[in-house]
Amino acid sequence: MENRIEQKMQDLRKRGEKAFITYMTAGLPDMAGCKALIKTQEEAGVDVLELGIPFSDPVADGPVIQNASYKSIQLGTNLKKVFALMKEVRAEGVKLPIVFMMYYNTALYFGLDAFVKECIASGVDGLIIPDLPMEEQEDIKDALKKEGAPILIELVSPVSADRIPKILENARGFVYCVSGMGVTGQSGNFHKEIYSYLSTVKNVSEIPVMMGFGIEQAKDVAPMKEVIDGAIVGSHFIRILEANDYKPQAAKEYCRTFKRELNE
Amino acid sequence: MKKERYFGEFGGQFVSESLMNTLEELDRVYEDAIRDKEFLKQCAYYLKQYVGRETPLYYAENLSREYGTKIYLKREDLNHTGAHKINNVIGQILLAKRMGKKKVIAETGAGQHGVATATGAALFNMECTVYMGEEDMRRQELNVFRMKMLGAKVLCVKSGSRTLKDATNEAIRTWAKTAEDTFYVIGSAVGPYPYPKMVKEFQSVISRESKKQILEAEGRLPDVVMACVGGGSNSIGMFADFIEEPSVRLIGVEAAGLGIETGKHASAMALGKPGTLHGMRSYLLQDDDGNIQIAHSISAGLDYPGVGPEHAYLKDSGRAEYVSITDVEAMDALQELCRLEGIIPAIESAHAIAYAKKQAKKMKEDEIMIVCLSGRGDKDVHTVSDYISGKVEVR
């Protein structure tokens, strides 16, 4: 079976469409509410969903996602429960590609082989692990060799420079371009060399280039349209969910508008 | 490749991509610097003229008589700023200067590393921001004030456990944002490679001096070398020059807090499992979901749920032993050292003294033990006074 992310990227390319990717912390407002939000986003035309596995020490995240993680852990969310949620949404027909955004220790503690087995069984399509640079990926890549395993999404930063070709060598799905230095959720604070950095990546990448960190509206990425294949929104999306009591309707409107404006 | 960034299976670089080039540059500059005679001369100059090294290796006469073996104290408490932390800060700030950075940031638990960094920043005219947990700011009010007097900004960290772990998270986040012009001065033997290696090198002056001093005083190597372990900087410095001396037993003393069995402790080596935090793979206190647990110790400087990766390696390879001491045992030892030797040790260092008392009972009269007295206790007098008047929960 082909990987859902890669399939989606091909479809988008054929249609000449840019991807809209969202991030939300798993387990909020609760498991049932989280499930409803996943379905809503699929309906609203979100192309890939990043589901954040809450961790006690999210060093790559700014205050919004830190607080969301903290809340979710307090509610009892853990990896096992998120796997159960994944199984339910797949059984209920959700085809949306889903990526786990998680810190390495969560998978390590679970046991890498057991973790990958559960990912396969529950329909997880990809992994984003912000504290696992290419030098440390050997162990997880070994575990991910199994048939149907999720793909590891690679991240590059504005200061990756000569590391970029090496990082992209065997990258799959899409490449996640971090828009600035630092952590998630610093609105509009893109790196001063953002355009030339993204075009460098675009030039060497054989897979779609997605930009994330600090994006709120489709117009934020309009100047970069020529050099990216899509945008990722995390902290701002969570802010919208929180401001609207996690009601699916608000998520639907925001996602529809973003996806439409991104492709105008 | 993997090997050189690791101590056995511990260490590594578990950080975001945006820090990888920074770490590589740092490693290059560091390796270059420690081979540069001028740099080493500069380090030695400031350690002697500014920090006040070398520190005495004091034969603790009364303590030795009381416990029946020869106990020497390596007096790191007599350094400028009152603890061993300044040794490492001098080295790292000189590196920052070499890299052309004008700003430094640091995390601090007990405040000693924060004070040392603020001191170094004042000396070398750099802008300094120190991250400190809200809980630690309350426990170590005096050090917060000292940092401010020295011109540093102290940022109060209110996330998570509000102690050293979270202060370190916040410092890492800031560093990831500002690495282009900011140097992160890590105070313990933790963090991503090359930090554990650098901190060890800059702290190894402790064991180099001790070895020379004990050979002068006794004409032979010690039987036991001991130090307290939080993240493990004074201990790795105290062990460094003795690691290759198989006749010397190395003992690290962690904080058992209210007791290992209560779950309220800071002994990553006693019950921790390997995991990744703060850029390294090492022993960590974790819950059943792999989240990092909150450490507990009466001493802010030992209140850390992990331990430096080289210590994890020394434990697994059997070269060093790690034991633990409760809050009560440490506070007893602190008061005993005051009375017996006229020295007020830091609560951190008192953990080592407490285990030294136990260890001494197993030793012969003419055997020799060196204990690292990593810091002085002036910063702790409030805690000691609260403890004596029963305001601190210790059971």
Side-chain angles (χ1 to χ4, degrees):
Chain A
M1 195 183 73
E2 194 170 6
N3 182 276
R4 286 188 198 91
I5 301 166
E6 293 180 318
Q7 183 64 52
K8 174 68 87 175
M9 294 300 131
Q10 279 175 27
D11 294 350
L12 289 168
R13 185 174 291 188
K14 270 184 217 152
R15 297 206 296 267
E17 238 177 62
K18 294 204 187 298
F20 178 49
I21 300 173
T22 50
Y23 167 96
M24 67 174 191
T25 303
L28 293 179
D30 50 35
M31 281 298 171
C34 183
K35 185 158 70 169
L37 283 166
I38 294 174
K39 291 180 175 174
T40 302
Q41 289 177 70
E42 182 172 42
E43 286 161 31
V46 165
D47 296 300
V48 177
L49 171 68
E50 274 182 47
L51 202 51
I53 310 299
F55 178 55
S56 55
D57 295 81
V59 287
D61 287 302
V64 174
I65 296 179
Q66 279 177 50
N67 288 338
S69 297
Y70 182 76
K71 255 189 246 170
S72 187
I73 290 172
Q74 297 308 110
L75 289 170
T77 306
N78 61 24
L79 192 53
K80 256 190 202 152
K81 289 183 187 170
V82 182
F83 278 134
L85 172 77
M86 284 296 300
K87 281 180 191 159
E88 284 176 35
V89 297
R90 291 301 183 210
E92 291 165 26
V94 172
K95 302 271 190 298
L96 177 66
I98 296 178
V99 174
F100 275 4
M101 144 76 202
M102 64 194 303
Y103 289 86
Y104 190 46
N105 198 52
T106 308
L108 206 57
Y109 192 89
F110 198 87
L112 293 183
D113 285 325
F115 169 73
V116 171
K117 230 172 109 187
E118 276 300 298
C119 284
I120 296 169
S122 61
V124 178
D125 306 301
L127 305 174
I128 295 175
I129 311 178
D131 58 348
L132 201 67
M134 63 174 172
E135 283 80 353
E136 303 292 354
Q137 290 174 357
E138 202 183 315
D139 293 347
I140 194 126
K141 279 189 167 162
D142 276 346
L144 289 172
K145 279 176 183 155
K146 292 189 190 71
E147 175 72 27
I151 58 180
L152 185 64
I153 302 293
E154 299 289 351
L155 292 116
V156 298
S157 95
V159 288
S160 292
D162 51 359
R163 293 169 56 83
I164 293 172
K166 188 96 210 308
I167 293 171
L168 293 181
E169 221 165 71
N170 296 303
R172 288 177 61 187
F174 59 85
V175 48
Y176 191 136
C177 288
V178 173
S179 68
M181 301 289 286
V183 295
T184 56
Q186 311 175 74
S187 40
N189 203 0
F190 302 147
H191 196 261
K192 52 188 189 296
E193 304 287 346
I194 185 79
Y195 194 89
S196 72
Y197 146 62
L198 289 170
S199 39
T200 309
V201 180
K202 184 69 188 159
N203 278 335
V204 289
S205 180
E206 288 170 17
I207 53 176
V209 174
M210 306 298 170
M211 170 178 165
F213 280 35
I215 300 169
E216 297 184 354
Q217 309 296 334
K219 65 171 168 35
D220 297 340
V221 298
M224 274 68 80
K225 245 178 174 172
E226 297 305 312
V227 287
I228 59 170
D229 300 295
I232 306 166
V233 178
S235 296
H236 187 67
F237 186 54
I238 289 180
R239 258 186 241 123
I240 287 173
L241 292 175
E242 279 177 351
N244 292 281
D245 261 344
Y246 288 86
K247 284 196 195 84
Q249 189 56 31
K252 188 183 279 182
E253 276 163 27
Y254 173 76
C255 293
R256 274 200 176 140
T257 308
F258 198 113
K259 172 81 184 176
R260 192 187 65 238
E261 289 178 359
L262 184 65
N263 284 289
E264 270 169 8
Chain B
M1 262 313 274
K2 191 169 172 174
K3 248 189 180 160
E4 71 164 27
R5 291 175 287 116
Y6 275 76
F7 305 92
E9 54 174 313
F10 302 101
Q13 295 174 309
F14 297 89
V15 296
S16 63
E17 169 60 24
S18 62
L19 287 172
M20 290 304 286
N21 271 328
T22 304
L23 289 174
E24 203 199 308
E25 186 197 357
L26 176 60
D27 193 29
R28 217 172 36 238
V29 173
Y30 163 78
E31 286 294 339
D32 199 48
I34 56 159
R35 285 173 181 78
D36 176 358
K37 277 192 189 121
E38 270 312 301
F39 180 84
L40 296 176
K41 226 169 92 185
Q42 237 185 345
C43 274
Y45 170 80
Y46 285 105
L47 287 180
K48 179 166 192 275
Q49 302 297 344
Y50 187 72
V51 175
R53 300 203 74 95
E54 66 181 28
T55 59
L57 183 70
Y58 164 67
Y59 176 62
E61 219 178 296
N62 302 327
L63 195 65
S64 298
R65 193 183 316 113
E66 186 78 19
Y67 290 96
T69 196
K70 289 181 177 172
I71 302 174
Y72 284 84
L73 302 177
K74 181 59 176 165
R75 298 292 307 273
E76 293 300 302
D77 59 319
L78 294 178
N79 284 325
H80 179 42
T81 72
H84 70 289
K85 293 291 186 187
I86 190 83
N87 302 333
N88 167 53
V89 165
I90 292 291
Q92 286 198 40
I93 289 215
L94 286 173
L95 266 188
K97 240 182 99 183
R98 199 177 167 97
M99 293 171 85
K101 311 269 178 180
K102 297 266 190 301
K103 295 180 194 167
V104 293
I105 55 171
E107 82 295 334
T108 199
Q112 290 303 104
H113 175 58
V115 168
T117 307
T119 300
L123 176 64
F124 293 107
N125 191 26
M126 288 186 184
E127 197 181 313
C128 175
T129 308
V130 179
Y131 293 83
M132 191 168 187
E134 191 179 33
E135 171 67 14
D136 289 338
M137 284 180 77
R138 188 187 59 74
R139 286 194 280 193
Q140 303 291 345
E141 227 181 308
L142 182 67
N143 271 344
V144 174
F145 189 64
R146 287 168 80 197
M147 287 184 266
K148 288 179 180 166
M149 283 178 69
L150 291 160
K153 202 178 352 164
V154 183
L155 280 185
C156 178
V157 176
K158 294 181 180 180
S159 55
S161 65
R162 302 170 187 218
T163 63
L164 179 57
K165 165 177 88 83
D166 306 279
T168 308
N169 288 342
E170 213 43 50
I172 292 174
R173 289 184 188 112
T174 306
W175 187 38
K177 266 182 245 182
T178 59
E180 284 161 301
D181 68 350
T182 301
F183 189 99
Y184 180 17
V185 183
I186 296 187
S188 197
V190 300
Y193 179 89
Y195 277 98
K197 169 179 82 172
M198 288 185 344
V199 175
K200 178 189 184 185
E201 174 63 32
F202 293 139
Q203 291 294 2
S204 64
V205 64
I206 302 174
S207 51
R208 274 199 307 275
E209 286 179 6
S210 299
K211 197 183 215 176
K212 189 182 92 165
Q213 290 166 319
I214 200 74
L215 289 174
E216 280 166 13
E218 295 280 351
R220 70 175 187 91
L221 290 171
D223 299 288
V224 172
V225 161
M226 192 177 297
C228 66
V229 182
S233 67
N234 91 84
S235 44
I236 205 70
M238 185 75 244
F239 292 173
D241 241 34
F242 295 109
I243 291 175
E244 303 295 330
E245 304 285 0
S247 69
V248 181
R249 269 180 77 183
L250 307 175
I251 303 179
V253 186
E254 291 191 298
L258 303 185
I260 301 282
E261 70 290 348
T262 65
K264 291 192 168 178
H265 62 87
S267 304
M269 301 278 221
L271 286 183
K273 293 182 182 168
T276 53
L277 178 73
H278 298 154
M280 63 178 175
R281 183 169 191 276
S282 190
Y283 282 104
L284 304 172
L285 300 177
Q286 305 170 69
D287 68 14
D288 291 339
D289 297 321
N291 286 317
I292 309 305
Q293 270 180 329
I294 292 169
H296 173 91
S297 168
I298 193 168
S299 126
L302 301 182
D303 204 345
Y304 182 70
V307 66
E310 189 167 2
H311 285 294
Y313 174 66
L314 289 173
K315 172 190 156 80
D316 275 16
S317 66
R319 178 63 191 95
E321 303 153 60
Y322 294 85
V323 296
S324 52
I325 281 294
T326 64
D327 289 350
V328 173
E329 290 170 320
M331 295 310 267
D332 286 350
L334 184 148
Q335 294 173 70
E336 192 172 348
L337 193 70
C338 292
R339 285 191 306 265
L340 278 178
E341 298 287 350
I343 296 171
I344 304 177
I347 302 176
E348 290 78 10
S349 322
H351 283 71
I353 302 293
Y355 197 78
K357 286 162 50 182
K358 292 188 182 180
Q359 177 63 29
K361 290 176 187 161
K362 303 176 207 163
M363 293 170 64
K364 297 190 195 90
E365 246 174 41
D366 59 347
E367 285 186 309
I368 304 165
M369 167 160 55
I370 300 179
V371 181
C372 186
L373 198 71
S374 55
R376 65 179 184 223
D378 305 42
K379 68 183 176 61
D380 292 319
V381 292
H382 277 307
T383 309
V384 176
S385 139
D386 283 353
Y387 172 80
I388 292 171
S389 60
K391 285 187 210 155
V392 182
E393 189 208 352
V394 285
R395 283 176 220 277

